[in-house]
Amino acid sequence: MEGPANTLSYFIAGYGVIFGVLAFYIGSLIVRWRNLKQDEAMLTELEKKEQTE
Amino acid sequence: MNAKPKLLTVLDVVAGAMFVAAVALVFFYAPLERVMGLVQKVFYFHVASAWIGMLAFAVAAFYGVLYLVKKDERYDRVELAAVEIGIVFALITIVTGSIWARPIWNAWWTWDPRLTTATVMELVYFAYLMLRSGIEEPERRARFGAVYAIIGFLSVPLTFFSIRLFRTIHPVVIGSNDPGAEGAFDMTQKMTQTFMFSLLTFTVGFVTLLWHRVRLGVLSDKVEQLKLKLQS
């Protein structure tokens, strides 16, 4: 009786896609959050300056 | 708002630990399928991703309805967050399905009813993001988004039931297969346990990601308000 088909490369590709896409999306959330926090800090600083002038 | 809630930190840890456990179950606990071999193990996360894609689009439609009724921008934020996450998981479903199909169907792609409806569903929600970004006025954008999320949701049951309504080669997980289905298999107890745990893991992961994405939306709106204030 024949054993299972050798589909190791497809298995690796499948999980590579799953881990890759999830890592990319979580990374994008982190980068967007950091960028927005920087913007927020800069804008708050500008607002304070405007109020003191 | 900016301080991370403790419950979200707990969710991060739980979701991360469950994901590691789910991967371990798939790799080391679930038995090797006797015909397809290792590629069958893609099934656990392929179906779990499909479930999250559809759940996310259902959540988006629900919050779309809530927005239209209450006109509260918080509902719009959840709707947008759910659509974005749904697109990510639907993309994983389509790509992993194609990889699984190659050795089993001997083709990367075929215009089978399930594959076609899933692709249409993904494109419908891509269009949601593109069209939304083209509307400047926030209230109009939110109203448009809500209506689109509700109408776009029609593509979800169509995708889900396509393999039950039409002749297809795509196997059915719950219910009886079409005689022409290729790649179907009988789940053993260990396979079922791994599958159920994967579904639960992805559901917890979805809640965690949704919360993070909503917080990002709140911060984005805050920055937008600050910009407008300074401009005026």
Side-chain angles (χ1 to χ4, degrees):
Chain A
M1 189 183 140
E2 272 185 51
N6 181 6
T7 51
L8 174 68
S9 54
Y10 297 101
F11 168 73
I12 293 169
Y15 277 93
V17 166
I18 293 163
F19 297 149
V21 173
L22 285 179
F24 180 81
Y25 183 63
I26 292 168
S28 89
L29 286 178
I30 294 167
V31 169
R32 282 186 283 173
W33 178 266
R34 280 186 188 163
N35 289 343
L36 283 168
K37 288 298 281 181
Q38 280 175 0
D39 288 353
E40 186 195 21
M42 190 186 72
L43 291 165
T44 311
E45 192 67 29
L46 276 171
E47 196 185 19
K48 273 183 192 167
K49 268 187 189 173
E50 260 191 14
Q51 280 169 354
T52 51
E53 278 169 11
Chain B
M1 153 64 217
N2 285 344
K4 190 175 169 184
K6 275 183 186 162
L7 183 59
L8 184 56
T9 307
V10 172
L11 261 179
D12 282 345
V13 174
V14 171
M18 285 182 79
F19 190 76
V20 171
V23 170
L25 284 178
V26 170
F27 283 32
F28 307 113
Y29 180 73
L32 195 64
E33 206 276 332
R34 61 187 172 186
V35 180
M36 292 182 272
L38 276 167
V39 76
Q40 178 274 335
K41 287 178 183 257
V42 169
F43 157 82
Y44 304 105
F45 283 14
H46 168 74
V47 179
S49 298
W51 153 244
I52 295 305
M54 291 183 181
L55 175 68
F57 296 143
V59 168
F62 176 72
Y63 277 90
V65 173
L66 279 182
Y67 176 80
L68 290 178
V69 174
K70 309 248 181 186
K71 298 277 186 262
D72 187 331
E73 63 182 12
R74 285 178 302 175
Y75 299 129
D76 179 54
R77 276 192 213 114
V78 181
E79 174 206 300
L80 173 63
V83 168
E84 193 181 281
I85 295 167
I87 287 173
V88 170
F89 282 91
L91 181 70
I92 290 175
T93 310
I94 293 168
V95 177
T96 54
S98 174
I99 291 167
W100 187 7
R102 179 64 185 89
I104 308 306
W105 297 347
N106 209 23
W108 291 106
W109 189 261
T110 168
W111 291 105
D112 175 83
R114 167 52 70 83
L115 279 68
T116 307
T117 50
T119 307
V120 168
M121 181 181 77
E122 180 79 336
L123 293 174
V124 161
Y125 285 99
F126 260 125
Y128 166 94
L129 291 185
M130 287 172 71
L131 293 169
R132 221 187 127 98
S133 66
I135 303 172
E136 292 276 325
E137 210 260 300
E139 205 182 309
R140 216 176 127 233
R141 185 172 58 215
R143 201 169 56 245
F144 161 81
V147 173
Y148 194 112
I150 296 163
I151 296 171
F153 182 69
L154 289 174
S155 63
V156 175
L158 186 69
T159 303
F160 182 79
F161 289 110
S162 59
I163 51 175
R164 291 160 179 87
L165 296 173
F166 307 110
R167 280 188 65 84
T168 176
I169 59 168
H170 190 288
V172 177
V173 179
I174 301 157
S176 56
N177 273 296
D178 188 290
E182 289 177 35
F185 58 94
D186 293 323
M187 273 205 275
T188 64
Q189 196 184 7
K190 283 185 175 181
M191 285 176 173
T192 307
Q193 288 165 348
T194 306
F195 175 54
M196 297 312 284
F197 189 77
S198 299
L199 286 181
L200 182 66
T201 299
F202 273 56
T203 308
V204 173
F206 167 65
V207 174
T208 312
L209 283 175
L210 187 69
W211 194 342
H212 279 290
R213 182 60 187 81
V214 169
R215 275 168 51 83
L216 189 73
V218 173
L219 183 59
S220 175
D221 287 350
K222 192 179 171 189
V223 168
E224 206 57 43
Q225 289 297 321
L226 276 169
K227 278 182 188 167
L228 287 170
K229 203 173 163 188
L230 281 166
Q231 277 170 4
S232 62

